[in-house]
Amino acid sequence: MNRRAFLLSGAALVAVSVEARATPAEVARLIAALTEGARVVEGGMKLDLPLLVENGNVVAMSITVDDPPPGQHVESLHVFAEANPLPEVLHVRFGPAAARPRIATRIRLATSQSVIALAKLSDGSFRRDSVDLLVTLAACLD
Amino acid sequence: MARTLINVKKTLTRGEAFEIRLLIAHPMESGQRRDSNGQVIARDIINRFSCTYNDMLVLEATLFPAISANPYLSFWAVATETGSIVMTWTDDHGTVQTERVEVTVSA
Amino acid sequence: MIWLLLLLLVSPAQAQPRSGYLDAGPDSRAMQDDDTANPAFLWVEQGKVLWGSLGCGGCHGDVATMRGVAARYPKYDAVLGRPVSLARRIATHRAVPDSEDMLALLAVIGLQSRGLPLAIDISGPARPSYEAGKALFHRRQGQLNLACANCHDDLAGRHLGGAVIPEGHPNGYPIYRLEWQALGSLERRLRQCVVGVRAVPWADGSRELADLEFFLGARAAGLVVETPAVRP
């Protein structure tokens, strides 16, 4: 029973599709350019991702921002993945018809890494949350 | 396959927050994959998405290749008046698609 | 007395089969549980359109009349002397333009039987096909010299890399597979398992594949149809 060989046949195919990766430093630069020195508070929002990813092709993600103080609203959301081929995942700007600042979607993750989400409030400040997750590969591949 | 599946509660009460949920049939080809001959498969993704409700913006989004194939989006709007929700998206070829859903709002 | 009989009927050596649903992770299960979040429903919707545009409805009426059909396939065809899959049954009496259209039809027809127990009839003249399929399931093949049974009977529930090895049941097909990022057929799934052991896959439409799928259907007796399922 040679399970290792079975796995390797999968791994070899994956390697073909892997290109250059983003780096944490690159993501840090993008975040600095976005926040432009504004205050960034850890928390006050929830980035929801599974800690253990079954398949990096389809990872359920949701972002919920706690209600901001009266008179303020959430202007935008920004998601970055530190080790994807491209560090940017999604930018969302909310308009006046939006209700609770919550979105859900599905994303691709090339490997185990940190995903970072920022929410911009109307006073110019930011909130931030991040998740470190482990991506496992499926055994059978095309 | 079908272009889109949109799920929105059609009858609403004013002031109610309601979910807009959609699935769009699209390969979201990342531009990072290679075919069996080693050639890079050209990028082809939906890169812009927006949703309005009676011409008021609910949200607009910039999408990157990290969004999964057959994109799923869920977000929330506040019921104000009877009218239409219009969703528009653009892909890398510049093709623009629009879907519309009518909602009825009672006091 | 009746209890004893029931026990004898449902527990010959193997316990109740376990659906691949239970071995999929919470995210895949959540996707399968909610039709508005399951991308397979993009194909279901297309299947509804095709049901009309290809004229299926003209003879069969509403697609809801297909309830129970998918649960009986593959079905032994006495005239052909072999089991036929649902796809083949459709293709032999109505031209379907391409494989994506066929997947869409299989999805919408399969959905009509969702929740119904599989009911593959292996009695009488069908028996030799079942036995032939069973033999294939237990036959070692490929450079890794592994039989389906080595993984799906002996190692089911154990991990292979990141994946849990499921029992390998066909009750959710066509499935939306995260790895494919698309809807795919049972044949596609089987091809990958065969290639995984470095063997040469059986040709589509071959007698071997028909017998193997027939056996898989009977082996899954007790499970309900989950079409369209979601798997990692």
Side-chain angles (χ1 to χ4, degrees), chain A residues 1-10 50 52 54-55 57-60 106 108 136-142, chain C residues 24-25 27-28 31 37 39 144 146 155 158-162 177-181 188-189 192 196-198 232:
Chain A
M1 164 84 215
N2 191 343
R3 280 193 279 165
R4 165 165 295 182
F6 189 73
L7 277 179
L8 284 176
S9 68
L52 189 70
E54 267 187 297
N55 189 299
N57 283 336
V58 187
V59 185
R106 295 173 185 148
R108 293 175 171 143
T136 56
L137 290 171
C140 298
L141 290 159
D142 260 348
Chain C
D27 285 350
S28 303
M31 229 185 264
L144 302 192
L146 286 172
L155 293 170
R158 305 265 290 273
H159 284 260
L160 180 61
R177 191 161 180 233
L178 307 190
E179 185 58 40
W180 299 331
Q181 308 183 61
R188 184 174 181 189
R189 172 71 260 193
Q192 292 191 330
V197 298
R198 309 277 177 82

Side-chain angles (χ1 to χ4, degrees), chain B residues 15-55:
Chain B
E16 178 184 351
F18 64 99
E19 187 183 11
I20 298 166
R21 200 185 254 210
L22 80 159
L23 277 163
I24 306 172
H26 199 284
M28 295 295 280
E29 191 57 62
S30 67
Q32 271 117 30
R33 298 201 311 161
R34 288 174 188 278
D35 64 18
S36 48
N37 298 321
Q39 298 295 319
V40 173
I41 306 171
R43 191 183 115 149
D44 174 19
I45 69 164
I46 294 170
N47 53 56
R48 296 287 297 163
F49 173 88
S50 73
C51 175
T52 60
Y53 171 25
N54 286 342
D55 299 326

Side-chain angles (χ1 to χ4, degrees), chain C residues 10-229:
Chain C
V10 297
S11 57
Q14 210 183 358
Q16 166 72 16
R18 177 183 164 88
S19 170
Y21 172 84
L22 297 170
D23 295 317
D27 285 350
S28 303
R29 293 203 297 267
M31 229 185 264
Q32 179 173 327
D33 290 343
D34 183 347
D35 295 351
T36 68
N38 182 350
F41 277 79
L42 290 165
W43 280 263
V44 168
E45 284 305 311
Q46 180 65 10
K48 283 184 195 161
V49 172
L50 290 167
W51 184 261
S53 64
L54 296 177
C56 321
C59 289
H60 290 286
D62 195 276
V63 68
T65 60
M66 288 280 134
R67 182 162 172 81
V69 172
R72 295 193 295 269
Y73 278 79
K75 192 171 168 181
Y76 186 77
D77 185 317
V79 177
L80 297 174
R82 58 178 277 173
V84 291
S85 64
L86 190 54
R88 193 179 164 104
R89 179 75 183 87
I90 296 167
T92 47
H93 76 294
R94 197 76 189 166
V96 176
D98 63 40
S99 59
E100 278 293 299
D101 290 344
M102 181 57 89
L103 277 176
L105 285 170
L106 294 176
V108 73
I109 294 173
L111 174 66
Q112 308 309 311
S113 297
R114 190 163 65 172
L116 295 178
L118 291 181
I120 312 296
D121 181 3
I122 56 166
S123 63
R127 192 75 201 183
S129 281
Y130 168 85
E131 295 298 344
K134 185 176 182 176
L136 287 172
F137 191 81
H138 288 90
R139 194 180 77 193
R140 288 176 178 271
Q141 59 173 342
Q143 281 175 34
L144 302 192
N145 197 30
L146 286 172
C148 317
N150 290 133
C151 285
H152 293 299
D153 282 344
D154 307 344
L155 293 170
R158 305 265 290 273
H159 284 260
L160 180 61
V164 178
I165 302 179
E167 287 184 2
H169 295 300
N171 58 315
Y173 287 77
I175 60 167
Y176 190 85
R177 191 161 180 233
L178 307 190
E179 185 58 40
W180 299 331
Q181 308 183 61
L183 199 73
S185 64
L186 178 60
E187 291 73 25
R188 184 174 181 189
R189 172 71 260 193
L190 296 185
R191 218 177 294 134
Q192 292 191 330
C193 278
V194 174
V195 169
V197 298
R198 309 277 177 82
V200 180
W202 296 285
D204 272 351
S206 65
R207 179 66 195 251
E208 284 91 344
L209 204 52
D211 290 342
L212 179 61
E213 288 180 22
F214 191 51
F215 168 74
L216 287 178
R219 176 175 172 267
L223 294 181
V224 297
V225 176
E226 289 176 20
T227 307

Side-chain angles (χ1 to χ4, degrees), chain A residues 19-35 78-89 91 113-114 116 118 128, chain B residues 32 64-65:
Chain A
E19 300 270 310
R21 296 262 165 82
T23 60
E26 200 177 339
V27 168
R29 273 196 300 278
L30 284 167
I31 292 177
L34 173 73
T35 54
H78 311 267
V79 184
F80 303 93
E82 285 192 339
N84 263 10
L86 294 171
E88 284 165 290
V89 175
H91 299 293
Q113 57 182 302
S114 299
I116 300 166
L118 287 109
R128 180 187 190 277
Chain B
Q32 271 117 30
F64 290 84

